[in-house]
Amino acid sequence: MLDVDGSAGGGQMVRTALALSMVTETPIRLTNVRGSRPTPGLRPQHLAGVRVSESVSDATVSGVDVGATELTFAPDTVSGGDYQYDIGTAGSVTLLFETLLPLATTLDEPLSLRATGGTDVKWSPPIAYYERVKLPFLARFGLDAETTLHRSGFYPAGGGRATLRLGPSSLSPIECTERGPLERVTVHSKASTSLESASVATRQADAASEALADDGVDHVVTEPAYVPSTSPGSALLLEATYRESLAGFDALGERGTSSEAVAEEAVKSFRTFEDTSAVVDDHLADQLLVFLALAGGRIRIPRVTPHVRTTIDVVEAFGGELVCTDSPDGTVVVEASEPIR
Ligand SMILES: Nc1ncnc2c1ncn2[C@@H]1O[C@H](COP(=O)(O)OP(=O)(O)OP(=O)(O)O)[C@@H](O)[C@H]1O
């Protein structure tokens, strides 16, 4: 049984360890789960990841409870088919998808997961980021995956629903060290129907469009959407298309924050990224590493964030090696010098 020490990180270490355990068919013992967080141990959204992984890989597990700081997970074979999971809170649906996404590389038949929870919640990829940035980027390297949004779910009630569908995939090496010129930015804005009278989605889109126009950035704005949801909320995504890459910059509305401030937050992240030569944004950077470790290749990321560091630690526990080389302009090239398997 492989020991994976989670003391340096949070939920992402749990998800990455589960995914690599299933892909490599390696039983694991996870210790010091979410050791660096103020409330260590499994939270409901991490428990969801373990439970779904248990179902799809017919795993034998022990120690799986909210608050558990140690658990064992011994997968059998991953089976395709249709699965469902209700996180029960506004816990992130996309982070639940994260646990299964790498399984596309090992599947013999399609797999789908219909999940209920938060689709646009803090500290996780909003569903539009998944649909417009992450999955299209990985599709370029052979990942067959798509998401369908059935209903948006915001904090605190959640109640959002989305389906992830995976097809058997064979990845080519992720070689991506130059992004090429910016071709355009696409602005996607949505808000709950209850916020339509305040024109929230429209104002977010207009403010983002104005700021991009001031910067002389070629951009298009998709029709602002008003969507049914249990709790009110709003989300904005700037999808930046470069000749060789995609990057995303998102922000969520919350009580006390103006629509214009939401736009400003997303535009500011885009401007910061534009000032670098990185190929992927800070979030895709850490989310891609598991695929880099499986497929091989090299990517240029903005910097080594704590999430990047701890994902590299998990990859190393599974026998892979990701080497970071600093570039003179401050970006970092991560190379899979030793892919897993
Ligand atoms: N705004 C965002 N857009 C895209 N991705 C995001 C965004 N915010 C966070 N992420 C991604 O979500 C993941 C969050 O992982 P993290 O381990 O912090 O979360 P967690 O499972 O909620 O656990 P914990 O509660 O321990 O922090 C990371 O991959 C991060 O890059």
Side-chain angles (χ1 to χ4, degrees):
M1 187 156 295
L2 183 72
D3 279 308
V4 181
D5 179 3
S7 57
Q12 194 192 26
M13 288 189 87
V14 177
R15 292 186 293 274
T16 309
L18 288 169
L20 288 176
S21 165
M22 290 186 281
V23 170
T24 62
E25 298 183 7
T26 306
I28 55 170
R29 178 184 297 108
L30 263 170
T31 53
N32 301 311
V33 170
R34 294 182 63 253
S36 78
R37 299 301 193 243
T39 49
L42 292 176
R43 305 303 311 151
Q45 68 268 33
H46 310 112
L47 192 72
V50 183
R51 289 298 180 208
V52 167
S53 302
E54 179 186 8
S55 300
V56 304
S57 68
D58 198 15
T60 306
V61 301
S62 69
V64 182
D65 268 315
V66 170
T69 54
E70 184 170 327
L71 65 101
T72 61
F73 180 86
D76 202 327
T77 310
V78 171
S79 312
D82 300 327
Y83 300 88
Q84 297 202 3
Y85 197 89
D86 182 350
I87 301 172
T89 64
S92 168
V93 157
T94 54
L95 289 185
L96 182 56
F97 292 166
E98 286 294 274
T99 318
L100 297 192
L101 205 53
L103 300 188
T105 62
T106 193
L107 284 173
D108 292 327
E109 55 186 32
L111 181 155
S112 79
L113 172 66
R114 185 180 169 104
T116 303
T119 58
D120 296 85
V121 287
K122 273 191 174 176
W123 304 299
S124 67
I127 190 77
Y129 179 91
Y130 231 69
E131 280 175 9
R132 310 273 178 184
V133 179
K134 177 166 182 171
L135 296 186
F137 181 91
L138 285 168
R140 295 178 180 200
F141 302 97
L143 191 80
D144 176 6
E146 63 179 26
T147 49
T148 308
L149 175 65
H150 310 293
R151 180 180 168 89
S152 293
F154 300 104
Y155 183 80
R161 287 191 304 277
T163 299
L164 172 71
R165 191 200 57 77
L166 299 177
S169 308
S170 162
L171 297 185
S172 51
I174 302 176
E175 280 292 343
C176 220
T177 54
E178 305 296 328
R179 69 188 181 205
L182 177 67
E183 294 183 339
R184 76 186 156 281
V185 172
T186 310
V187 179
H188 304 277
S189 180
K190 75 172 176 185
S192 304
T193 45
S194 60
L195 300 174
E196 188 163 7
S197 56
S199 304
V200 167
T202 317
R203 283 167 51 209
Q204 288 178 167
D206 288 350
S209 174
E210 223 167 276
L212 292 170
D214 285 349
D215 289 359
V217 173
D218 264 350
H219 64 282
V220 290
V221 181
T222 59
E223 181 66 26
Y226 290 94
V227 296
S229 64
T230 311
S231 291
S234 74
L236 177 70
L237 170 72
L238 306 184
E239 170 196 348
T241 307
Y242 294 88
R243 194 179 59 208
E244 308 293 342
S245 187
L246 282 168
F249 309 93
D250 49 76
L252 299 176
E254 60 184 325
R255 195 178 285 277
T257 304
S258 70
S259 305
E260 291 70 25
V262 171
E264 184 54 38
E265 184 186 334
V267 170
K268 194 170 156 209
S269 308
F270 165 65
R271 285 178 178 147
T272 304
F273 181 76
E274 272 277 277
D275 286 342
T276 75
S277 65
V279 167
V280 293
D281 61 80
D282 262 338
H283 296 302
L284 202 53
D286 72 66
Q287 295 167 36
L288 276 184
L289 296 180
V290 64
F291 296 94
L292 190 70
L294 291 170
R298 285 180 312 155
I299 54 170
R300 185 181 301 281
I301 66 172
R303 61 202 171 109
V304 176
T305 61
H307 280 120
V308 167
R309 175 50 51 211
T310 52
T311 304
I312 290 176
D313 290 347
V314 178
V315 164
E316 280 178 358
F318 281 86
E321 196 175 9
L322 296 176
V323 175
C324 297
T325 307
D326 294 334
S327 296
D329 72 352
T331 58
V332 175
V333 173
V334 189
E335 175 169 13
S337 56
E338 190 68 57
I340 292 175
R341 286 196 292 186

